[in-house]
């Protein structure tokens, strides 16, 4: 059930509209279902409509006129609330609508329960699926009603009513959603032949610019170089930066002036202070050092993404919120790096997840440095041609969308849950397209059956809990091919499998064999451990239980190679 609340100056005009049956064709049988005292005159149930309507207006305005003589009447003294049921809801009786109306005026402060000085109000029903509540804001003691945040209080009461009456439960937000385009903005975009209003197009552009830059100067410069976008920095009198605003060249006023939007008007997390906080938490990108292998940013981004579900199961909500925001930035950049056939799906995924990146939880952005740094490094390198790196990332991203759904569900973030679920559908569609060619190429390198049997033995030993599920997976040939390739490069297949499973559980994977294949490929791209490293690993594995050993690195810092691998190979 949805409430729409507004204020006005004309009681008679509102009553005339509510009981009109000539201009408003959908108004049928208008009548009162409830009122402040249960005895208000009902124009819909009388032979003399005009006289009764005049009497009703006079009764509603009585206290307003009294307060006006004392100079205490509010200028906009009319309170108007419409309550509409969902199209799938059952037909509510007049008595049920009356109860709902009484609960709403009590919850909003218009007429608190058991308050003899509550405002005067009436509930009018002129259609089967909704009612209108008309009230005047002056109480019996001639004070103005205390109805601040009436929309929120009404919404909370309606959520309770929906459960009690067995009605459709509306997905509710937490006031962190981006502002929707107005009807005028939508009509203007339609006249111009644009698929989206300027506000939404600018929001997507600004989000992508934030994800692609490392400081505010670069952010403003990138926006200024974007075709069709105007950007202006706003300063305090002291000369310090106050904020920024953007406009689209094709969106002007009647006087041909640009229609400007500040960052906060585009979305709460696009205000200047919040963008600056995110960029300051990104940190400078590491420079390559002579003689050391340069890390693959796609593999780093995938590894950081695979760790997000684990972060979301922790107790630090601010860190979790930071990882969700960073993942949203990664999705914003993917359409710039992906092949043309899947860009639309990735743009839709980024647009959907945008809502899931914000909540009332304040993010501590320094927790997500690894993913942000890897994403910016990805943008500064040519995109891989074979699609394997993109498929790896999308496979990890799908599990993040599932984990994000659960995280928001536990915190009752209804709109964010719906956004994460929608994101999952787009990511799965994009993954299916992106992974088709790399998987086919990998399966074509399937090793001889003798080698396959040996790797199946490795799978049973390293992945006992998921072995049967993995072996029945249609992608098992891709996994055995990846293991054979890793073995050729000098890696221990069983050790790689163990580390691949330890990095993240397979419970949510649609295809555990594919997920393991991508991880094995990513791990095997690193240098294989030397003979000395393999000997150290063997001694470590043979050490008796309880024997003293050197402190091990945190789980999120371990790699699929050796502890003796170069630092760059371990950093994610």
């Amino acid at each position: 059930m949805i409430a729409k609340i507004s204020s006005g100056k004309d009681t008679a005009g509102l009553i005339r509209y509510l009981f009109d049956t000539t201009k408003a064709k959908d108004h049928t049988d208008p009548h009162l279902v409830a009122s402040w005292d249960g005895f208000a005159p009902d124009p819909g149930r009388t032979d003399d409509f005009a006289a009764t309507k005049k009497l009703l207006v006079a009764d509603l305005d009585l206290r307003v006129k009294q307060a006006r003589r004392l100079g205490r009447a509010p200028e906009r003294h009319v309170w108007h609330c419409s309550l509409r049921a969902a199209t799938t809801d059952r037909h509510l009786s007049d008595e049920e609508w009356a109860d709902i109306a009484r609960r709403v005026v009590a919850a909003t402060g218009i007429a608190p329960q058991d308050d003899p000085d509550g405002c005067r109000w009436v509930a009018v029903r002129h259609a089967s699926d909704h009612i209108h509540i008309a009230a005047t804001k002056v109480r019996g003691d001639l004070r103005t009603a205390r109805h601040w945040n009436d929309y929120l209080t009404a919404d909370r009461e309606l959520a309770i009513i929906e459960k009690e009456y067995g009605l459709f439960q509306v997905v509710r937000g937490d006031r962190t959603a981006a502002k929707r385009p107005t009807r005028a903005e939508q009509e203007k975009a339609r006249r111009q032949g644009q698929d989206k209003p300027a506000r939404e197009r600018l929001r997507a552009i600004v989000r992508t610019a934030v994800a692609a830059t490392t400081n505010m100067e670069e952010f403003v410069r990138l926006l200024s170089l974007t075709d069709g976008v105007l950007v202006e920095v706003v300063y305090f009198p002291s000369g310090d930066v106050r904020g920024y605003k953007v406009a689209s060249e094709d969106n002007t006023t009647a006087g041909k002036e640009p229609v400007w939007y500040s960052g906060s008007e585009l979305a709460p997390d696009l205000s200047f202070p919040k963008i600056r906080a995110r960029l300051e938490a990104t940190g400078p990108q590491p420079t390559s050092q002579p003689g050391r292998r340069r890390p693959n940013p796609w593999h780093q981004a995938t590894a950081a993404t695979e760790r997000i579900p684990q972060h979301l199961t922790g107790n630090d909500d601010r860190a979790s919120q930071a990882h969700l925001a960073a993942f949203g930035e990664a999705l914003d950049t993917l359409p710039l790096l992906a092949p043309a056939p899947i860009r639309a799906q990735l743009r839709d995924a980024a647009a959907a997840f945008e809502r899931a990146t914000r909540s009332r939880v304040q993010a501590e952005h320094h927790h997500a440095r690894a993913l942000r740094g890897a994403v910016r490094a990805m943008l500064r390198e040519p995109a891989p041609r074979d699609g394997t790196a993109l498929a790896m990332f999308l496979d990890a991203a799908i599990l993040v969308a599932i984990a994000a759904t659960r995280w928001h569900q536990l915190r009752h973030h209804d709109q964010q849950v719906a956004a994460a679920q929608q994101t999952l559908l787009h990511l799965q569609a994009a993954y299916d397209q992106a992974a088709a060619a790399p998987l086919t190429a990998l399966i074509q390198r399937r090793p001889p059956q003798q080698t396959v049997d040996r790797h199946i033995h490795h799978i049973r030993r390293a992945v006992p809990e998921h072995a049967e599920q993995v072996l029945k997976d249609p992608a098992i040939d891709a996994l055995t091919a990846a293991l054979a390739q890793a073995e050729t490069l000098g890696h221990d297949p069983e050790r790689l499998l163990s580390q691949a499973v330890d990095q993240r559980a397979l419970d949510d994977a649609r295809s555990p064999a594919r997920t393991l294949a991508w991880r094995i490929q990513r791990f095997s791209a690193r240098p294989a451990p030397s003979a000395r490293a393999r000997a150290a690993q063997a001694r470590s594995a043979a050490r008796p239980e309880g024997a003293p050993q050197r402190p091990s690195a945190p789980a999120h810092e371990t790699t699929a190679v050796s502890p003796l691998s170069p630092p760059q190979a371990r950093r994610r």
Side-chain angles (χ1 to χ4, degrees):
M1 189 170 289
I2 297 175
K4 183 177 180 181
I5 298 175
S6 60
S7 296
K9 301 179 181 180
D10 187 3
T11 308
L14 176 57
I15 296 300
R16 182 169 56 251
Y17 163 73
L18 296 181
F19 284 91
D20 174 62
T21 57
T22 55
K23 293 182 180 179
K25 301 299 183 183
D26 58 338
H27 291 190
T28 59
D29 188 26
H31 60 280
L32 297 186
V33 295
S35 65
W36 73 93
D37 62 357
F39 298 102
D42 185 356
R45 293 292 184 266
T46 182
D47 295 332
D48 193 343
F49 174 80
T52 308
K53 182 187 71 173
K54 186 176 180 180
L55 183 60
L56 175 60
V57 172
D59 286 351
L60 287 170
D61 275 344
L62 176 63
R63 293 170 177 173
V64 177
K65 293 178 180 179
Q66 292 172 337
R68 190 170 291 150
R69 296 192 195 104
L70 302 176
R72 295 164 58 179
E75 181 182 2
R76 301 180 69 84
H77 64 271
V78 178
W79 187 83
H80 177 204
C81 174
S82 63
L83 303 174
R84 184 178 297 273
T87 55
T88 55
D89 285 337
R90 61 183 176 82
H91 183 88
L92 296 173
S93 66
D94 283 359
E95 291 74 18
E96 289 173 317
W97 276 118
D99 176 60
I100 292 171
R102 293 188 191 98
R103 292 175 63 169
V104 168
V105 294
T108 55
I110 292 297
Q113 190 174 4
D114 299 327
D115 182 357
D117 288 328
C119 299
R120 294 190 167 191
W121 60 273
V122 293
V124 181
R125 183 177 190 176
H126 56 209
S128 61
D129 62 346
H130 70 279
I131 63 170
H132 292 261
I133 302 174
T136 47
K137 299 180 185 179
V138 179
R139 293 167 41 83
D141 53 15
L142 301 188
R143 292 184 300 164
T144 301
R146 298 172 63 89
H147 62 98
W148 293 289
N149 287 327
D150 50 9
Y151 173 77
L152 293 179
T153 54
D155 199 51
R156 282 197 290 266
E157 186 64 25
L158 290 176
I160 299 172
I161 290 171
E162 289 167 354
K163 294 180 181 179
E164 292 182 3
Y165 278 79
L167 306 177
F168 174 78
Q169 296 183 25
V170 175
V171 176
R172 290 179 161 83
D174 54 5
R175 304 184 74 182
T176 61
K179 185 177 180 180
R180 294 182 179 180
T182 64
R183 173 70 66 85
E185 290 174 335
Q186 294 173 346
E187 292 296 333
K188 188 175 186 178
R190 191 174 295 110
R191 291 194 303 270
Q192 293 175 340
Q194 299 284 353
D195 59 340
K196 293 181 180 178
R199 185 192 299 270
E200 291 188 350
R201 288 183 280 128
L202 289 170
R203 183 187 305 139
I205 291 171
V206 171
R207 285 183 60 85
T208 303
V210 173
T213 54
T214 56
N215 55 64
M216 288 304 299
E217 292 76 14
E218 188 179 2
F219 167 71
V220 172
R221 183 170 63 254
L222 182 58
L223 284 179
S224 64
L225 295 175
T226 304
D227 291 339
V229 175
L230 304 174
V231 60
E232 183 176 313
V233 179
V234 183
Y235 297 90
F236 285 110
S238 62
D240 295 330
V241 177
R242 178 181 179 181
Y244 74 99
K245 55 184 181 179
V246 291
S248 179
E249 290 182 350
D250 60 6
N251 185 35
T252 59
T253 64
K256 302 301 181 182
E257 294 294 325
V259 178
W260 293 97
Y261 298 93
S262 66
S264 59
E265 289 177 319
L266 297 178
D269 59 338
L270 295 182
S271 65
F272 173 77
K274 292 189 176 181
I275 289 179
R276 181 172 57 185
R278 288 157 67 182
L279 295 181
E280 288 175 351
T282 301
Q285 298 303 304
T287 56
S288 58
Q289 300 180 16
R292 291 187 175 181
R293 184 173 180 175
R294 188 176 184 182
N296 185 321
W298 281 87
H299 290 179
Q300 289 181 312
T302 302
T305 300
E306 284 189 324
R307 292 194 292 270
I308 293 178
Q310 181 179 355
H311 292 306
L312 296 183
T313 60
N315 297 322
D316 191 341
D317 279 3
R318 293 190 171 191
S320 298
Q321 183 65 57
H323 286 289
L324 291 176
F327 179 66
E329 292 180 17
L331 294 184
D332 289 331
T333 62
L334 278 188
L336 304 176
L337 303 168
I342 65 172
R343 286 175 191 164
Q345 286 287 2
L346 293 177
R347 279 194 292 266
D348 290 341
F353 198 76
E354 181 254 355
R355 181 66 189 97
T357 61
R358 290 189 304 275
S359 71
R360 285 291 179 186
V361 179
Q362 184 177 357
E364 292 181 348
H365 292 294
H366 65 274
H367 288 284
R369 284 177 179 267
L371 180 55
R372 283 196 170 92
V375 167
R376 284 155 178 80
M378 286 161 51
L379 288 166
R380 286 158 175 77
E381 290 192 2
R385 294 183 179 180
D386 63 354
T388 301
L390 177 59
M392 288 182 188
F393 182 87
L394 290 176
D395 180 67
I398 287 172
L399 297 191
V400 174
I402 296 172
T405 301
R406 292 174 178 167
W407 190 82
H408 284 302
Q409 282 175 334
L410 291 174
R411 288 151 186 82
H412 306 288
H413 301 162
D414 295 340
Q415 289 187 355
Q416 290 89 333
V417 169
Q421 291 173 336
Q422 189 64 36
T423 303
L424 177 61
L425 298 178
H426 294 301
L427 288 177
Q428 288 174 336
Y431 172 81
D432 289 340
Q433 288 183 265
L439 277 174
T440 300
L442 188 59
I443 291 172
Q444 289 175 348
R445 299 198 295 270
R446 182 181 183 274
Q449 187 61 42
Q450 183 178 0
T451 304
V452 170
D453 293 340
R454 182 158 46 83
H455 290 317
I456 288 177
H457 178 68
H458 292 150
I459 292 171
R460 292 187 183 278
R461 284 171 54 88
V463 198
E465 295 180 359
H466 301 276
E468 295 306 319
Q469 185 183 5
V470 171
L471 296 177
K472 293 177 182 178
D473 194 321
I476 183 62
D477 287 344
L479 174 56
T480 55
L483 289 169
Q485 184 179 13
E487 189 175 40
T488 302
L489 294 173
H491 294 281
D492 181 346
E494 192 167 325
R495 180 175 290 274
L496 288 186
L497 280 167
S498 298
Q499 292 175 340
V501 174
D502 290 343
Q503 187 175 35
R504 191 198 68 225
L506 298 171
D507 299 330
D508 294 328
R510 286 193 302 166
S511 171
R514 284 189 303 189
T515 297
L516 287 174
W518 298 134
R519 294 183 196 173
I520 296 299
Q521 277 206 303
R522 193 173 79 248
F523 291 162
S524 62
R526 303 167 181 170
S530 63
R532 181 181 176 184
R534 288 195 295 271
Q537 292 171 350
R539 288 195 301 271
S540 176
R543 182 180 291 112
E545 185 177 357
Q549 56 182 347
R550 295 176 61 185
S552 59
H556 67 277
E557 293 179 357
T558 59
T559 67
V561 290
S562 164
L564 302 178
S565 300
Q568 280 75 10
R570 296 200 303 268
R571 189 177 297 121
R572 293 173 181 166

